[in-house]
Amino acid sequence: EADIYQTPRYLVIGTGKKITLECSQTMGHDKMYWYQQDPGMELHLIHYSYGVNSTEKGDLSSESTVSRIRTEHFPLTLESARPSHTSQYLCASSEYKGWRDEAFFGQGTRLTVV
Amino acid sequence: GENVEQHPSTLSVQEGDSAVIKCTYSDSASNYFPWYKQELGKRPQLIIDIRSNVGEKKDQRIAVTLNKTAKHFSLHITETQPEDSAVYFCAATNQAGTALIFGKGTTLSVSS
């Protein structure tokens, strides 16, 4: 079944560690996004990509980086995790079909930095 | 860049009442305005959307209206039910149409 997958679902990591959050989609979408969301709160756009080898920063400065080497894969890397990075990270993908640009979200990765 | 403001941040209604959530956007080039519903512990899902050349769209108990001149759009839920309780997000595309910018969300609580 076509879907968007995020791993890990939960992660507890020490301050200063480097981590990569994985996101893969099997829907063949060109556009992919990373959002940061505290429970029930605002969705902050941190990175997006509109195709292979394209990456753009969103409005939230998160001290993270992304890459888009393959259409289906859009990993997010934190070079040095800090307690302020504790949050939920949602990956999404979308593609224009006619006029509609529906975004499909992954289950999220809940990150805790101690 | 695009900025989307959403009000109110919380809304409590009695079952059967109507609920209205309002959003404004800053970029006049935006042309697509979706609404997402996020239930507790779940991922956001699209519930209704509208394009810029349409003023109103209805789907059963939910409707969305768009005023391009004033740059605001609204979600209307009629005959609310407890299962409508969730966080609702409005969104608009950025100028290039390459990303969705979300509002801060409205927590809707429907009590029976």
Side-chain angles (χ1 to χ4, degrees):
Chain A
E1 182 181 333
D3 205 344
I4 181 162
Y5 303 94
Q6 290 186 242
T7 57
R9 289 290 308 280
Y10 303 92
L11 179 63
V12 180
I13 198 163
T15 298
K17 298 291 186 184
K18 177 180 178 179
I19 55 169
T20 295
L21 308 184
E22 300 289 346
C23 177
S24 294
Q25 51 102 357
T26 57
M27 292 181 281
H29 288 167
D30 287 333
K31 294 192 281 185
M32 296 188 75
Y33 316 81
W34 277 103
Y35 290 92
Q36 183 178 339
Q37 183 188 38
D38 291 321
M41 303 292 283
E42 184 174 2
L43 286 158
H44 293 282
L45 179 65
I46 47 178
H47 293 283
Y48 62 99
S49 164
Y50 45 85
V52 171
N53 293 326
S54 89
T55 60
E56 301 286 344
K57 286 193 174 185
D59 294 332
L60 182 67
S61 173
S62 69
E63 301 161 339
S64 58
T65 59
V66 291
S67 63
R68 188 87 183 278
I69 298 171
R70 303 198 318 264
T71 298
E72 63 272 21
H73 196 214
F74 191 42
L76 175 79
T77 298
L78 280 170
E79 292 292 333
S80 179
R82 297 211 300 254
S84 60
H85 293 137
T86 295
S87 188
Q88 174 164 257
Y89 293 83
L90 285 171
C91 181
S93 72
S94 74
E95 187 167 88
Y96 278 111
K97 282 185 167 51
W99 56 268
R100 172 165 290 146
D101 189 17
E102 180 177 358
F104 292 87
F105 286 82
Q107 296 275 34
T109 293
R110 182 161 298 286
L111 173 66
T112 303
V113 183
V114 298
Chain B
E2 175 69 278
N3 184 47
V4 179
E5 300 281 343
Q6 182 172 347
H7 299 279
S9 56
T10 59
L11 180 58
S12 296
V13 300
Q14 291 286 323
E15 182 177 1
D17 288 349
S18 294
V20 180
I21 303 170
K22 298 181 179 181
C23 288
T24 60
Y25 61 98
S26 60
D27 191 343
S28 56
S30 294
N31 59 10
Y32 176 67
F33 308 94
W35 286 88
Y36 284 77
K37 176 183 180 182
Q38 186 178 27
E39 296 176 355
L40 189 62
K42 302 271 184 75
R43 36 183 154 176
Q45 290 191 306
L46 178 72
I47 55 170
I48 194 167
D49 52 3
I50 194 168
R51 58 196 300 195
S52 59
N53 61 350
V54 174
E56 184 174 357
K57 182 179 177 181
K58 190 172 181 181
D59 182 4
Q60 298 182 340
R61 294 187 298 108
I62 59 173
V64 57
T65 58
L66 171 66
N67 183 327
K68 272 208 77 176
T69 304
K71 290 191 282 188
H72 67 70
F73 56 114
S74 300
L75 177 72
H76 304 253
I77 306 174
T78 58
E79 300 171 30
T80 54
Q81 300 167 3
E83 51 265 39
D84 294 330
S85 297
V87 181
Y88 291 81
F89 293 94
C90 62
T93 50
N94 64 354
Q95 187 176 36
T98 51
L100 275 175
I101 307 301
F102 285 86
K104 291 188 176 183
T106 296
T107 300
L108 173 65
S109 299
V110 181
S111 53
S112 54

